[in-house]
């Protein structure tokens, strides 16, 4: 689990963007500053380690993991980030971030190579364009390099009122629940049932309209979810645990995931 070797690697370059891992403390701070702007300022998140004076969204995992950066080559500004935690990194950090919300026993004991994705965000000016595809292309290269088989991580709905999210949560439960051998479960301390509407009365079209775009993207790639949602009051979100088995990607899905034309 040699992070120094990884950090020397530029993963991808395009006319507009460079995708690579953070190499210096200054680059880590650039990622944490973007996270602050998105999660704290825009979405109202908090947390005991957030540095409001320097506008950095920080937690105890950041010094042990890889940070994938999307950099605008014209401005040299970090405009997108992904935080990546492999199993060996989680061992040093005291666990995966998701273990604060989910029992990951089924996933960790699967015998497969796993990678936790987290803190994914884009600068508002870069949403809805090619930036996310470039970040995904970089992620695909990282996954290939480390022979990752299963991607996972918490994905969020804004807000903590489950009744307002009943339709999309129910759709996830009825249509996208993980197979039993990978089915992680939300911890009891803040678990929220997702089957709030029976399958036969659920308006699936309306439910999908309410689904956050990142969750929809992973569902299109064949993603599935764990059992139960988790209410995260610090981040003002309702979280679900998403998983993606890379072996089940079709050729078309693999092209989408790697940022290529389908």
């Amino acid at each position: 689990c040699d992070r120094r070797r990884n950090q020397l690697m530029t993963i991808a370059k395009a006319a507009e963007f460079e995708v690579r891992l953070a190499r210096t403390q200054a680059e880590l701070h650039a990622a944490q500053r973007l996270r602050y702007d998105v999660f704290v300022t825009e979405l109202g998140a908090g947390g005991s380690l957030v540095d409001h004076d320097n506008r950095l969204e920080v937690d105890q995992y950041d010094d042990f993991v890889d940070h994938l950066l999307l950099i605008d080559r014209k401005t040299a500004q970090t405009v997108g980030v992904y935080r990546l935690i492999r199993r060996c990194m989680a061992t040093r950090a005291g666990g995966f971030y998701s273990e604060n919300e989910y029992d990951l026993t089924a996933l960790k004991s699967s015998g497969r190579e796993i990678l936790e994705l987290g803190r994914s965000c884009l600068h508002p000016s870069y949403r809805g364009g090619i930036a996310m595809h470039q970040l995904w292309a970089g992620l695909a290269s990282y996954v290939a390099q480390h022979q990752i088989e299963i991607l996972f991580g918490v994905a969020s709905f804004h807000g903590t009122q489950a009744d307002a999210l009943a339709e999309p949560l129910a759709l996830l439960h009825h249509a996208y629940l993980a197979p039993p051998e990978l089915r992680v479960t939300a911890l009891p301390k803040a678990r929220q049932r997702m089957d709030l509407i029976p399958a036969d009365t659920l308006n699936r079209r309306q439910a999908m309209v309410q689904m956050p775009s990142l969750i929809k993207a992973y569902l299109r790639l064949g993603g599935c979810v764990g059992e139960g949602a988790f209410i995260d009051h610090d981040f003002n979100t309702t979280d679900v645990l998403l998983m993606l088995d890379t072996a089940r990607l079709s050729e078309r899905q693999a092209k989408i995931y790697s940022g290529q034309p389908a």
Side-chain angles (χ1 to χ4, degrees):
C1 199
D2 187 349
R3 291 184 61 215
R4 289 174 297 178
R5 180 174 61 84
N6 287 339
Q7 289 169 344
L8 296 176
M9 179 181 66
T10 291
I11 293 177
K13 276 190 176 182
E16 297 179 58
F17 300 104
E18 178 181 2
V19 184
R20 62 175 170 79
L21 299 177
R23 300 165 178 166
T24 66
Q25 194 69 19
E27 291 178 345
L28 171 57
H29 285 170
Q32 293 168 332
R33 190 164 296 113
L34 177 61
R35 285 162 33 181
Y36 187 97
D37 290 342
V38 173
F39 296 123
V40 180
T41 302
E42 183 178 342
L43 299 177
S48 60
L49 297 180
V50 172
D51 183 347
H52 293 287
D53 291 336
N54 294 302
R55 299 181 63 82
L56 303 177
E57 194 278 302
V58 183
D59 72 12
Q60 65 267 35
Y61 300 91
D62 282 341
D63 289 335
F64 299 95
V65 305
D66 281 335
H67 302 268
L68 188 65
L69 310 180
L70 178 71
I71 300 169
D72 186 322
R73 297 184 71 189
K74 291 182 180 179
T75 65
Q77 181 183 9
T78 295
V79 298
V81 299
Y82 251 119
R83 187 168 71 182
L84 312 176
I85 307 181
R86 287 181 279 138
R87 193 188 294 264
C88 55
M89 296 172 176
T91 298
R92 292 204 300 254
F96 290 103
Y97 173 84
S98 302
E99 290 184 278
N100 294 296
E101 302 187 5
Y102 283 82
D103 179 351
L104 301 184
T105 300
L107 194 56
K108 292 168 65 177
S109 63
S110 66
R112 306 179 69 188
E113 199 63 41
I114 59 178
L115 174 69
E116 182 183 55
L117 310 179
R119 295 302 199 271
S120 171
C121 61
L122 285 174
H123 186 284
S125 300
Y126 293 80
R127 296 172 192 167
I130 66 168
M132 192 67 203
H133 287 286
Q134 291 293 323
L135 194 56
W136 275 20
L139 176 60
S141 295
Y142 185 96
V143 165
Q145 179 195 7
H146 296 289
Q147 300 180 315
I148 301 299
E149 297 175 87
I150 299 177
L151 307 174
F152 73 98
V154 294
S156 302
F157 293 86
H158 186 55
T160 58
Q161 300 302 313
D163 289 347
L165 303 170
E167 288 184 323
L169 290 178
L171 178 61
L172 290 173
H173 177 86
H174 294 307
Y176 296 100
L177 204 58
E181 66 272 17
L182 295 177
R183 192 174 300 169
V184 303
T185 56
L187 297 178
K189 61 182 181 180
R191 183 187 300 161
Q192 169 61 55
R193 287 180 54 184
M194 295 197 298
D195 55 342
L196 300 174
I197 300 174
D200 57 356
T201 61
L202 177 63
N203 184 333
R204 297 194 171 207
R205 182 184 182 90
Q206 181 60 34
M208 192 57 76
V209 168
Q210 297 178 57
M211 202 76 69
S213 57
L214 183 64
I215 295 179
K216 283 193 283 192
Y218 279 105
L219 296 180
R220 285 196 295 269
L221 292 173
C224 55
V225 299
E227 177 76 44
F230 186 92
I231 306 300
D232 185 345
H233 292 286
D234 283 344
F235 262 70
N236 191 33
T237 58
T238 298
D239 297 343
V240 295
L241 196 291
L242 274 172
M243 290 168 279
L244 179 65
D245 187 339
T246 60
R248 295 184 180 181
L249 291 175
S250 68
E251 182 178 353
R252 179 177 181 277
Q253 289 170 329
K255 285 182 177 180
I256 295 171
Y257 165 62
S258 63
Q260 301 176 44

